[in-house]
Amino acid sequence: MKKLTIAIACCIILAIACKKNNDEGKEVIKGDLKETIETVNGITYKIFTGKDATTFKGILVMGSGNDENNPTEGSLDGAAETAICEKAATNGYAAAIVKYRKTPGNSNSDAWNTSAKMIGEDYDKCIVAIAGKYNISKTKAVVGGYSFASYMLFSDISANNTLSYCKGVLAACGGSGAWNAQNFKIPIFAINCSGNNEGEYYGKSLYDQIPANSPVKAKSEGITDNGCSTHCGGDWTDKMYNKLTVWVN
């Protein structure tokens, strides 16, 4: 009986492994777009490109929301992330959702800072992987995220230099502090619903905290959307895509 149980368990593990292997590298064609889950140099991402595209205007890497108290690895299947990646891919970009690592979360400031550093590193790995595989300059990269990923990117680009080569951060429904805003190393596009869901500084109020003499001020923007009042309650795909094109072009 014990041997039978072990055999069954092995079969289940093998089946899961086979499913994962079948998903990775499989191309899904949706109209004129192609999406593929790839793992390059240890980082996994879902990439969206034009079905027949061979050259690209730039790179967009998005990240998912999460439970900040007990985060898991990044999801590849978020509807908002997929929407902006599909729009970018339709218009000539290589756009991806990154499966960032499980991080320590926000139990204390050290854990928060560690989490932000890990997220920044994983975005960087994803950009480098895509740049190498698809022959795109990584200096034409834009990063972005929703909720948890936005918080992490705000922290990372103020405390670290990992993503300092990027054109900017598209950050939806995230917030940050005055110190962070004073130390942003690349431009931000912060967009949030009204209702104070993301702390003291978010959207327009976060943009206002960037000093007038900051080199990123002129290319940054902050929007507080009065048309919604819940966390991540707006449809901002077009606004975020428009900022992407301004930065890359």
Side-chain angles (χ1 to χ4, degrees):
M1 184 65 182
K2 183 177 179 181
K3 290 182 178 179
L4 179 60
T5 302
I6 292 172
I8 293 172
C10 289
C11 288
I12 293 172
I13 292 170
L14 182 61
I16 293 171
C18 287
K19 183 180 186 301
K20 180 179 179 182
N21 290 339
N22 287 339
D23 287 342
E24 282 194 14
K26 181 180 178 181
E27 293 183 357
V28 176
I29 304 298
K30 294 182 179 180
D32 292 329
L33 294 181
K34 176 175 66 177
E35 65 179 60
T36 313
I37 296 176
E38 300 176 345
T39 298
V40 180
N41 296 332
I43 193 74
T44 298
Y45 52 88
K46 180 186 286 188
I47 188 163
F48 301 76
T49 61
K51 182 177 63 175
D52 301 314
T54 56
T55 59
F56 303 92
K57 296 177 181 178
I59 300 169
L60 171 66
V61 176
M62 298 297 296
S64 68
N66 219 312
D67 177 357
E68 64 185 38
N69 296 306
N70 186 28
T72 61
E73 64 185 10
S75 170
L76 297 179
D77 301 315
E81 300 93 300
T82 297
I84 188 169
C85 284
E86 288 182 341
K87 186 172 183 70
T90 297
N91 289 280
Y93 292 85
I97 306 171
V98 62
K99 182 184 282 189
Y100 54 76
R101 288 169 287 176
K102 173 180 170 60
T103 74
N106 73 340
S107 57
N108 55 54
S109 59
D110 286 342
W112 183 271
N113 292 335
T114 297
S115 296
K117 188 173 186 293
M118 291 172 65
I119 295 292
E121 290 170 348
D122 287 355
Y123 272 84
D124 175 58
K125 289 178 183 176
C126 187
I127 293 167
V128 170
I130 293 169
K133 183 165 184 176
Y134 293 88
N135 192 29
I136 313 167
S137 170
K138 73 173 191 175
T139 62
K140 292 185 176 182
V142 169
V143 293
Y146 292 83
S147 191
F148 178 76
S150 289
Y151 281 99
M152 293 293 96
L153 287 169
F154 282 148
S155 292
D156 183 65
I157 66 164
S158 54
N160 305 306
N161 291 303
T162 309
L163 298 172
S164 59
Y165 59 85
C166 292
K167 294 293 188 181
V169 174
L170 300 173
C173 42
S176 197
W179 180 89
N180 301 92
Q182 292 162 12
N183 289 277
F184 286 149
K185 295 177 176 63
I186 58 176
I188 67 159
F189 178 75
I191 189 163
N192 302 67
C193 293
S194 63
N196 197 32
N197 300 291
E198 287 82 44
E200 186 175 6
Y201 299 121
Y202 59 91
K204 176 65 163 54
S205 63
L206 179 60
Y207 168 79
D208 289 343
Q209 290 300 308
I210 302 174
N213 63 352
S214 168
V216 308
K217 182 79 171 185
K219 292 185 178 181
S220 294
E221 186 176 357
I223 296 175
T224 301
D225 185 352
N226 292 318
C228 57
S229 59
T230 59
H231 178 61
C232 264
D235 180 2
W236 302 314
T237 296
D238 289 346
K239 287 182 172 63
M240 295 171 76
Y241 171 74
N242 290 341
K243 181 57 70 172
L244 163 71
T245 62
V246 169
W247 283 337
V248 174
N249 294 333

